[in-house]
Amino acid sequence: MSTPQDYIDEHKDHFLEELFDLLRIPSISTDSTKKEDIKSAAGFLADQLKKMELDTVKVFETPGNPIVFAEHAPHEDQPTVLVYGHYDVQPPDPEELWDTPPFEPTIKDGLIYARGASDDKGQAFTHVKAVESLLKTKGELPVNVKFILEGEEEIGSPNLVPFIEEHKDMLACDMVLISDTAMFAEDQPSITYGLRGLAYMEMEVVGPNRDLHSGVYGGAVENPANVLCEIIAKLKDEDGVIQIPGFYDKVVPLTEADREAFAALPFDEEEYKETLDIKAVHGEKGYSTLERAAGRPTLDVNGLWGGYQGEGAKTVLPSKANAKVSMRLVPDQDPKEIAKLFKDYVLSIAPDTVTVKVTEHHGGYAAVTDLEFYGLKAGAKAFEEVYEKEVLFSREGGSIPIVADFKRVLGVESILMGFGLTSNAIHSPNENFSVKDFYRGIKTSARFFELLPDFAE
Amino acid sequence: MSTPQDYIDEHKDHFLEELFDLLRIPSISTDSTKKEDIKSAAGFLADQLKKMELDTVKVFETPGNPIVFAEHAPHEDQPTVLVYGHYDVQPPDPEELWDTPPFEPTIKDGLIYARGASDDKGQAFTHVKAVESLLKTKGELPVNVKFILEGEEEIGSPNLVPFIEEHKDMLACDMVLISDTAMFAEDQPSITYGLRGLAYMEMEVVGPNRDLHSGVYGGAVENPANVLCEIIAKLKDEDGVIQIPGFYDKVVPLTEADREAFAALPFDEEEYKETLDIKAVHGEKGYSTLERAAGRPTLDVNGLWGGYQGEGAKTVLPSKANAKVSMRLVPDQDPKEIAKLFKDYVLSIAPDTVTVKVTEHHGGYAAVTDLEFYGLKAGAKAFEEVYEKEVLFSREGGSIPIVADFKRVLGVESILMGFGLTSNAIHSPNENFSVKDFYRGIKTSARFFELLPDFAE
């Protein structure tokens, strides 16, 4: 009888074909016209899980996109792992910057190019294939496994938390396993033990009731696009310090240990600048690039629009101007509270010549996992066996708000076992995922399930 | 034999049908895909002029859009009027805000709704029909008339000035007649004797070589959209004073007489605010609304874009952000010099973490016409006869750079005999032109030509 690792090697091509089928579905959750594709992606994963004859596979409808749940619990005395992933993806735009079509997966130089290749279809799928490989070769799983695969991660998981709260017993587990992060470097297995939180806002500055001729009205009527810029300019000072009153009140300062951990990570700033083609790094004064990117809160304009964007010169004084602005948070900032502080500050600095509307998109708490947790140690061991290299434990700048929610509702830690790379261009044109890491991911996941009973003792 | 005024009344419906044919042509000069429509509009006007059996009608090709020229000079001892107009139009976007399609002219409540209805097809066409009416009823024109109708006004007339310089003799005249402005109020004939100049700029702020995930990079890499806002915020202070060094150096201050003239104009600020649905007016401290809109220079963002503009929340740190910014100028500011000052200032305040590119679109000088000029007086008399109301002489905030060019190259004053209204929504959705003013425009033009010999003596 072959081992799970052999089985994975023998089914490489087939696994890749299956992933490609999933990647071809444009399950874009920010686009309300893609509801059918969302349904297809959920159905595809449910079918995959059903083929394995698990105890339960069910697609739950929600007020938004469906949640796929599966359970296989053969053991009373072994830990239960809840695998979380998401099958929705970011929009592909600007689509003209893709070298190959975003929903026609293409392999080039060992990389799978497609929207969702890394974030998160490719990574989530590794665990599905790991469970299949264990069942096909061992006849049974070494631990209990549950799956929860959602379709609204890219829009802030509005229906996931209510779902978890409502199905606490069904989802009861000893840990959550998530692959939705990047490794620190190529061939460098890494476990993310910290994530930033998020507060994502949108604002609209409204002036006159129609676009005006800038010659006839310019100088006499306030220009909403100028005002929008003035408001945004007042959100940060030149040292990268956020100017919203109270913003830093609950920030847990980086400890000496934190800063030493950041400093110990391998990082080449020259290479970083070269890869991004920037002349200099920039951020909050007094902190290193890694600290700025993962250990400190920040504020970014994510989108900006108003007036004429076409070719040539249209002399218009726009009726309104808009921006999307998000803030990354650290422990113990409260996203709801930060959203309110943002709104209060923006309204307080807005001139009374215009009307400013501030709305809140999704948000989430920052999360840091205990480094002594046995699940984390089992994960590190599995990683080291497959990648043949010591694991790095790092904090990341991105947000997976659900990690804080799992902790709060189910009372468990999450293991962030990322198989991606920062060069995967997630949320960007030409998103990709290494074919090699797709296979190593499946193998690492399978080994993790096999090793976990030993660490649990 | 009927008079020209009778002829105009008798041919009302036909004149309107002909104007509609012209308005149906989407001759958008900012859109490079509309070259055929540009050609059609020029051809339409040339055909109109050819039907009248003038001495000369010719379509001149240029490196850009064609220029329609016509001449009819029966008199050696009478003044020559050069009629200037433009057959190109602004883009219709945002097209979804139009109540009727922009290129399907529609009459509603006495207004013709169509892109170009007022700016400038409808207004320019009044002179074509006036000449026709004189020829059909009198058999000859009372003065010499030339036409120059261009197709690049909305992109800054890049080929018109070289054309005028090259054809100085052919275009020789005693005055230029232009209808491309608005009356001060409904039924209130007005001659614009002052116009602002223009310097229209575009800037691009470039950061990393691709859109980044704002979670992974936010805080460590400069965000071009934030930088763009910071630059724009530094262009004006809170009192509406432009911060570009040297910007005001050549500004001729408003004299006591200028300010009295502005103050004498009928203007209801409450109604102005109500019409625009704004809570307060805003502009340079120390000046009235009319002074701000026409007598003082200003700076406006005309367009702004960067990052994600779609539905929902995309956590992107955009690779670049752009803005179109224009400045309205007054005598004696030099548009080329102002463009350079703008560029120098923007580059001087741009941080070295990004690359900023500043490019110049079109520009033009401000112009003020001598109030004692006999052509202006003949125009006022014609206006008063047709509208039965005394003419107001006003300065306007918009720009017709060609007025300064005609003065410089041909040495003549321009008479700005506008038949539009500020409510015509030029450059905006639902542009319109009053049917009544279309007819009164034709009549006023015809009377102007008839009266001119008396004033010239």
Side-chain angles (χ1 to χ4, degrees), chain A residues 30 32 90-91 93-94 154 196 200 207-223 225-226 228-230 232-234 236 238 272 275-284 289 292-293 298-318 324 326 328 352-355 361-362 397-398 422 425-428, chain B residues 30 32 90-91 93-94 154 196 200 207-223 225-226 228-230 232-234 236 238 272 275-284 289 292-293 298-318 324 326 328 352-355 361-362 397-398 422 425-428:
Chain A
T30 58
S32 52
Q90 282 272 324
D93 62 274
E154 301 294 1
R196 289 198 287 193
Y200 197 111
N209 51 10
R210 58 187 169 90
D211 283 358
L212 302 178
H213 188 296
S214 66
V216 179
Y217 293 94
V221 175
E222 185 89 273
N223 183 322
N226 286 75
L228 181 77
C229 291
E230 285 151 19
I232 289 170
K234 286 181 183 162
K236 282 207 278 193
E238 285 182 5
Y272 183 83
T275 308
L276 299 174
D277 200 12
I278 54 174
K279 289 179 282 185
V281 295
H282 177 80
E284 191 183 0
T289 292
R292 288 166 174 173
T298 188
L299 178 150
D300 273 288
V301 172
N302 302 110
L304 194 66
W305 67 100
Y308 184 65
Q309 306 183 10
E311 196 188 338
K314 190 169 190 283
T315 49
V316 66
L317 191 163
K324 292 176 195 272
S326 68
R328 295 288 161 172
D352 57 7
T353 48
V354 293
T355 304
H361 283 276
H362 59 286
T422 53
I426 64 168
H427 294 210
S428 295
Chain B
T30 56
S32 52
Q90 283 273 324
D93 61 275
E154 302 294 1
R196 290 197 286 192
Y200 198 112
N209 52 9
R210 59 187 167 91
D211 283 358
L212 302 178
H213 188 295
S214 66
V216 179
Y217 293 94
V221 175
E222 185 88 273
N223 182 322
N226 286 75
L228 181 77
C229 291
E230 285 152 19
I232 289 171
K234 286 180 184 163
K236 281 206 278 193
E238 284 182 7
Y272 183 84
T275 308
L276 298 173
D277 201 12
I278 54 174
K279 288 179 283 184
V281 294
H282 178 79
E284 192 183 359
T289 293
R292 288 166 175 173
T298 188
L299 178 150
D300 273 287
V301 173
N302 302 109
L304 194 66
W305 67 101
Y308 184 66
Q309 306 183 10
E311 195 190 338
K314 190 169 191 283
T315 50
V316 66
L317 191 164
K324 292 177 196 273
S326 69
R328 296 287 161 169
D352 58 7
T353 48
V354 293
T355 303
H361 284 277
H362 60 285
T422 52
I426 64 168
H427 294 211
S428 296

Side-chain angles (χ1 to χ4, degrees), chain B residues 25 32 44 63-64 102 108 114 117 120 142 159 174 334 337 369 372 384 441:
Chain B
I25 308 169
S32 52
F44 177 92
K108 214 168 49 186
D120 179 48
N159 293 295
D174 296 291
D334 177 333
E337 199 175 294
T369 300
E372 291 304 308
E384 282 164 11

Side-chain angles (χ1 to χ4, degrees), chain A residues 176-363:
Chain A
V176 179
L177 176 61
I178 305 178
S179 294
D180 197 15
T181 48
M183 296 189 289
F184 203 82
E186 208 177 332
D187 302 321
Q188 173 56 68
S190 323
I191 289 180
T192 301
Y193 74 99
L195 289 164
R196 289 198 287 193
L198 177 70
Y200 197 111
M201 314 296 293
E202 185 155 344
M203 62 174 138
E204 179 170 75
V205 179
V206 181
N209 51 10
R210 58 187 169 90
D211 283 358
L212 302 178
H213 188 296
S214 66
V216 179
Y217 293 94
V221 175
E222 185 89 273
N223 183 322
N226 286 75
V227 172
L228 181 77
C229 291
E230 285 151 19
I231 291 173
I232 289 170
K234 286 181 183 162
L235 295 174
K236 282 207 278 193
D237 74 5
E238 285 182 5
D239 292 333
V241 178
I242 293 158
Q243 300 296 297
I244 299 166
F247 183 84
Y248 292 98
D249 284 3
K250 293 195 176 169
V251 169
V252 176
L254 291 180
T255 61
E256 211 42 54
D258 281 324
R259 304 196 75 167
E260 275 165 23
F262 274 116
L265 290 170
F267 178 68
D268 181 338
E269 196 154 282
E270 285 311 309
E271 192 191 313
Y272 183 83
K273 289 193 289 183
E274 212 169 284
T275 308
L276 299 174
D277 200 12
I278 54 174
K279 289 179 282 185
V281 295
H282 177 80
E284 191 183 0
K285 212 174 170 173
Y287 294 92
S288 73
T289 292
L290 291 181
E291 288 167 351
R292 288 166 174 173
R296 293 290 298 173
T298 188
L299 178 150
D300 273 288
V301 172
N302 302 110
L304 194 66
W305 67 100
Y308 184 65
Q309 306 183 10
E311 196 188 338
K314 190 169 190 283
T315 49
V316 66
L317 191 163
S319 166
K320 58 184 184 176
N322 300 65
K324 292 176 195 272
V325 175
S326 68
M327 289 156 287
R328 295 288 161 172
L329 312 178
V330 298
D332 290 327
Q333 288 178 298
D334 177 333
K336 285 276 167 206
E337 201 176 291
I338 292 294
K340 191 181 176 308
L341 293 176
F342 177 92
K343 185 174 176 172
D344 290 349
Y345 177 62
V346 166
L347 295 182
S348 78
I349 60 174
D352 57 7
T353 48
V354 293
T355 304
V356 179
K357 286 178 230 167
V358 180
T359 51
E360 191 181 341
H361 283 276
H362 59 286

Side-chain angles (χ1 to χ4, degrees), chain B residues 27-94:
Chain B
S27 45
I28 305 163
S29 51
T30 56
D31 182 344
S32 52
T33 68
K34 300 290 186 198
K35 288 290 176 203
E36 278 308 307
D37 296 305
I38 284 286
K39 237 166 122 174
S40 297
F44 177 92
L45 287 168
D47 290 344
Q48 281 278 331
L49 294 162
K50 278 175 190 163
K51 279 195 304 189
M52 293 182 220
E53 297 178 12
L54 307 182
D55 299 343
T56 310
V57 177
K58 201 170 163 188
V59 178
F60 284 87
E61 292 305 320
T62 76
N65 299 338
I67 290 173
V68 180
F69 172 76
E71 174 172 11
H72 194 66
H75 308 283
E76 285 212 352
D77 56 350
Q78 292 297 348
T80 299
V81 178
L82 175 64
V83 175
Y84 164 87
H86 65 93
Y87 62 80
D88 64 318
V89 298
Q90 283 273 324
D93 61 275

